[in-house]
Amino acid sequence: MSDLLVFNKLTDHMRVRIEDVFAPTYFQTIDATEWLPLHGDTIRFILTDGPTGVPSEVLKQLPNAEIISNVGVGYDGVDTVITTERGIPVCHTPDVLNEEVATTALMLYLACWRNLEAEMALARSGRWGSEGNLPLPRTPENRRVGILGLGRIGKAVVRKLAPWTTDIVYFGRSKQDIPFPYYSDLIAMARDCETLVCIAPGGDATRNLISREVMDAIGPDGFLINVGRGSTVDEMALIGALQEGTLGGAGLDVYVDEPHIPSALRSLPNTVLLPHIGSASIETRRAMADLAIDNLIAWKEGRPLLSPVPESASLL
Ligand code: NAP
Ligand code: 8YV
């Protein structure tokens, strides 16, 4: 009888740890319409990841679910209004991925400013000799960078940017006790900076926050870097701004409908695109997986959770 429903793909390390303690069912291997009505009531524990989440219609069919553990810090795929109503705590994996995701943001920052993708393509093409070099790009040095979401990862981004620029401004819902200028108006910040880095959570509160107006405020000489969630950017507006050149370029790790990247974005020369690899190193993904599994085991053994999400605090 299964007690754990697993939505995400597991590494061998995770599988061994999980199968040592739990009796898992892997969602991708079952016919949910048949399985859930028959066995849904046996499930006490749920494991998932950021992009996958837990579909609300599935959660409805797990009447005895006690806990959801998310391999990832972003948990916008889980409806915490419903989980809180049902008394189901949600855990995530903060901090262990800060440096890796910040490195991804830095890679996109440098790649955009130095036109890395086109330069690499020219070197591989064999046409360097016949065509000569590309027009010179502009330097990433001493640019003003605006951070949307100066939280755990946002602060790591600022640290990693320091060798290139320390001219940092930020936007969020509240002013923090830090020495960087705060903007309560995202468009005003976009107007004043040359790169906007988004590392805010996804979900309804931030949906389409980066509107065409924000993109146009960054301007034709600036870049948008998004390592937060695709939902925070109005993707259709982004395509328009990039096609018309009112926004200089975009470095993206996340998209609205992953793993689908709109063909318009893929064919534009002024984009640098990554397939949601913000935290994707062996070491960091293992640390995230271990923390997510440790939370499940702590719950099973009646110990305090290691990293519940803030919305679950009232349940603990
Ligand atoms: P965090 O420490 O909670 O920081 C989030 C920041 O976003 C805070 O500074 C917060 O500031 C701001 N924020 C939250 N809601 C907002 C809103 N409605 N409007 C404006 N700003 C808002 O989270 P974190 O650990 O840094 O992670 C941030 C996000 O990065 C995750 O939620 C996830 O979506 C994304 N992420 C992506 C990858 C990837 O692979 N690409 C990997 C990890 C994480 P205020 O509270 O002052 O508003
Ligand atoms: C992962 C993420 O891609 O932590 C997050 O919020 O988006 C990423 O680190 C994801 O959760 C896969 O495990």
Side-chain angles (χ1 to χ4, degrees), residues 9 17 57 64 89 122 140 149 181 208 236 240 270 285 306 315:
K9 285 194 191 130
R17 282 205 67 194
E57 61 279 12
N64 298 313
L122 175 64
N208 293 338
M236 293 313 291
N270 49 352
R285 283 286 170 83
L306 303 167
L315 305 174

Side-chain angles (χ1 to χ4, degrees), residues 35-263:
W35 192 91
L36 286 168
L38 289 176
H39 307 290
D41 61 346
T42 68
I43 297 299
R44 295 171 56 202
F45 315 102
I46 298 171
L47 184 67
T48 189
D49 64 20
T52 312
V54 181
S56 297
E57 61 279 12
V58 175
L59 191 57
K60 266 190 209 148
Q61 296 180 74
L62 306 173
N64 298 313
E66 292 174 25
I67 181 164
I68 296 172
S69 192
N70 183 60
V71 186
V73 68
Y75 49 96
D76 47 304
V78 177
D79 187 331
T80 52
V81 173
I82 292 174
T83 54
T84 306
E85 265 168 24
R86 282 188 50 187
I88 303 170
V90 178
C91 297
H92 65 154
T93 61
D95 291 319
V96 294
L97 41 50
N98 291 350
E99 299 304 322
E100 208 69 65
V101 182
T103 296
T104 304
L106 181 69
M107 291 193 299
L108 287 171
Y109 175 82
L110 295 175
C112 281
W113 278 100
R114 289 294 302 271
N115 200 17
L116 194 64
E117 219 176 270
E119 300 284 17
M120 288 168 70
L122 175 64
R124 280 186 193 278
S125 71
R127 294 195 304 271
W128 181 22
S130 55
E131 293 182 8
N133 278 102
L134 295 172
L136 290 173
R138 285 165 309 132
T139 180
E141 307 284 338
N142 301 314
R143 300 289 172 191
R144 176 168 296 163
V145 175
I147 310 278
L148 162 52
L150 190 57
R152 290 171 292 246
I153 301 172
K155 291 187 176 82
V157 172
V158 170
R159 287 195 297 275
K160 298 225 188 259
L161 278 172
W164 285 273
T165 183
T166 52
D167 188 358
I168 304 293
V169 298
Y170 71 103
F171 166 86
R173 291 165 302 184
S174 49
K175 184 174 180 337
Q176 304 183 36
D177 187 17
I178 46 174
F180 305 115
Y182 169 68
Y183 285 77
S184 57
D185 179 342
L186 182 58
I187 295 171
M189 181 177 85
R191 209 178 288 126
D192 287 353
C193 67
E194 298 167 283
T195 302
L196 193 155
V197 177
C198 170
I199 182 61
D204 288 340
T206 55
R207 197 173 306 283
N208 293 338
L209 194 60
I210 304 181
S211 61
R212 177 71 190 248
E213 227 178 330
V214 173
M215 295 164 204
D216 290 354
I218 301 169
D221 296 325
F223 295 101
L224 168 66
I225 309 294
N226 188 15
V227 282
R229 282 287 182 266
S231 58
T232 307
V233 173
D234 182 339
E235 210 166 67
M236 293 313 291
L238 177 63
I239 291 166
L242 290 168
Q243 282 171 338
E244 292 160 33
T246 58
L247 172 66
L252 308 172
D253 184 46
V254 287
Y255 309 88
V256 169
D257 182 25
E258 296 176 8
H260 170 74
I261 303 177
S263 60

